[in-house]
Amino acid sequence: MKNDFIAGYAKITEDALKKYMPEGDAAQKKLYDAMNYSIFAGGKRLRPMIMMMTAKMLGKPVDTVLPFACAMEMIHTYSLIHDDLPAMDNDDLRRGKPTNHKVFGEATAILAGDALLTKAFEIAAKYGTEYADSDKVVKAISILAEAAGSEGMVGGQVIDIFAEVEDLEQLKNMHALKTGAIIRASGVIGAVLSGADSEQINAIDSYCYNLGIAFQIQDDILDVLGSEESLGKPIGSDAENNKSTYVTLCGIDEAEKLQKEYIKKAKESLEIFENTEELSLLCDMLVNRKA
Ligand code: GRG
């Protein structure tokens, strides 16, 4: 993703994260190092970007959502650390670097994930009200918690690990929770903190739902057609782990066709708004992404 505005949002996120992340020579320095290692490992900052772009589209400064954008990235990073653990996907590489447990050991990696998850709620509650009214902040915290937990991302992860996913409908429902829940919450929180009405919140929700599925389809395609160099992790892991994906269930061509339909629906969801250029461009960039 080379566009300047994308790099701009990523930099705003990095700078704010630096402000909020713990560091120093405390007794728990090893934990801080593990948390910082993964959060500053070079992620795309997609979820904060969606939140900030939503605020901007609705005429608010991006600062309005900044504590929540950082909280969301902390939750996303915790999920990746835990997803890579031997008890889950047992991966050695993430974002082009050895996974957290490979560097710091399993116990510290688990605790770094736990600490990022709780830090997220600390930052949202402590700093959210510096930029938005407290009733909106409380609502946003509730959306964040629901999206990250048993009715959202963690619920989707459990389905992925333990349930047989045999058709496209089941696959879509699993990803709607595992990957989609916090992508949707990113847009919805951006809208809520920006004072959107219910029609606008629903439209953003629909944009993110469709974008999230298109994003996941690209992830499945890249696992077959991508390169380890750009992805920063080995390709072919889905086939190796016998995982059902959009590609295994319907083939590359059909997966690409489906992806285009979801992108179209995402863009249609934006029709009620003005200033949709960035969110619309984000759709195209995610489909063309190589990492
Ligand atoms: C362990 C509770 C728990 C949940 C894990 C989201 C998830 C659930 C695991 C990630 C598995 C995975 C690789 C899913 C594919 C889509 C995805 C979320 C990719 C990683 O997100 P990006 O591409 O990553 O936004 P960066 O590194 O750019 O932040």
Side-chain angles (χ1 to χ4, degrees):
M1 294 211 217
K2 292 199 178 63
N3 285 47
D4 286 352
F5 77 97
I6 293 282
Y9 282 117
K11 168 94 170 64
I12 295 170
T13 309
E14 300 272 322
D15 290 347
L17 281 169
K18 278 182 197 141
K19 207 171 80 186
Y20 294 138
M21 288 296 294
E23 58 174 356
D25 275 330
Q28 65 272 43
K29 181 177 181 331
K30 186 172 180 185
L31 176 70
Y32 291 172
D33 288 347
M35 293 163 77
N36 282 295
Y37 174 80
S38 289
I39 203 112
F40 294 117
K44 293 184 287 298
R45 314 304 190 193
L46 166 68
R47 296 148 193 83
M49 234 172 248
I50 293 173
M51 218 185 272
M52 287 188 270
M53 286 177 183
T54 301
K56 197 171 155 202
M57 182 181 73
L58 294 168
K60 297 286 181 224
V62 296
D63 282 1
T64 313
V65 302
L66 209 44
F68 277 87
C70 291
M72 190 59 89
E73 190 65 13
M74 288 174 192
I75 290 176
H76 167 59
T77 302
Y78 122 74
S79 82
L80 298 181
I81 295 174
H82 282 194
D83 188 60
D84 290 334
L85 287 167
M88 299 216 199
D89 272 7
N90 196 17
D91 281 319
D92 295 346
L93 272 182
R94 166 75 65 184
R95 294 170 166 172
K97 296 185 172 167
T99 42
N100 199 291
H101 65 273
K102 283 279 160 192
V103 179
F104 296 95
E106 257 183 83
T108 306
I110 292 169
L111 294 168
D114 293 342
L116 280 166
L117 174 61
T118 37
K119 180 62 75 182
F121 287 98
E122 177 195 328
I123 298 302
K126 206 188 260 182
Y127 301 106
T129 49
E130 284 182 11
Y131 304 95
D133 300 340
S134 48
D135 58 331
K136 296 193 181 86
V137 169
V138 170
K139 188 163 180 203
I141 290 174
S142 150
I143 295 165
L144 187 62
E146 192 174 331
S150 49
E151 280 68 51
M153 181 177 70
V154 177
Q157 178 78 344
V158 165
I159 297 172
D160 191 21
I161 295 176
F162 298 109
E164 290 292 318
V165 174
E166 284 165 346
D167 60 39
L168 277 183
E169 195 56 24
Q170 291 170 347
L171 187 71
K172 191 175 76 178
N173 292 337
M174 184 270 287
H175 285 310
L177 298 183
K178 187 180 124 174
T179 322
I182 66 167
I183 292 181
R184 276 174 78 179
S186 300
V188 172
I189 289 172
V192 165
L193 293 176
S194 303
D197 62 28
S198 57
E199 187 196 6
Q200 291 173 319
I201 292 172
N202 289 341
I204 287 289
D205 191 12
S206 163
Y207 164 85
C208 291
Y209 173 79
N210 288 296
L211 180 81
I213 299 177
F215 175 77
Q216 183 61 53
I217 296 176
Q218 185 66 10
D219 213 70
D220 291 352
I221 292 173
L222 286 174
D223 196 59
V224 179
L225 299 182
S227 77
E228 177 167 339
E229 201 189 353
S230 15
L231 278 175
K233 60 177 188 176
I235 62 160
S237 63
D238 293 334
E240 203 172 295
N241 297 325
N242 263 332
K243 281 206 163 172
S244 293
T245 72
Y246 282 94
V247 176
T248 63
L249 288 181
C250 60
I252 294 274
D253 290 348
E254 193 58 29
E256 283 176 346
K257 211 171 116 198
L258 261 180
Q259 189 189 45
K260 283 199 180 80
E261 285 168 21
Y262 282 111
I263 288 295
K264 186 163 172 273
K265 283 189 210 156
K267 288 185 179 177
E268 282 167 5
S269 310
L270 297 175
E271 277 168 5
I272 66 161
F273 300 106
E274 288 173 11
N275 305 320
T276 56
E277 299 78 14
E278 289 187 352
L279 284 172
S280 178
L281 202 53
L282 188 66
C283 289
D284 302 326
M285 296 173 89
L286 284 186
V287 170
N288 293 322
R289 75 189 169 100
K290 301 281 174 263

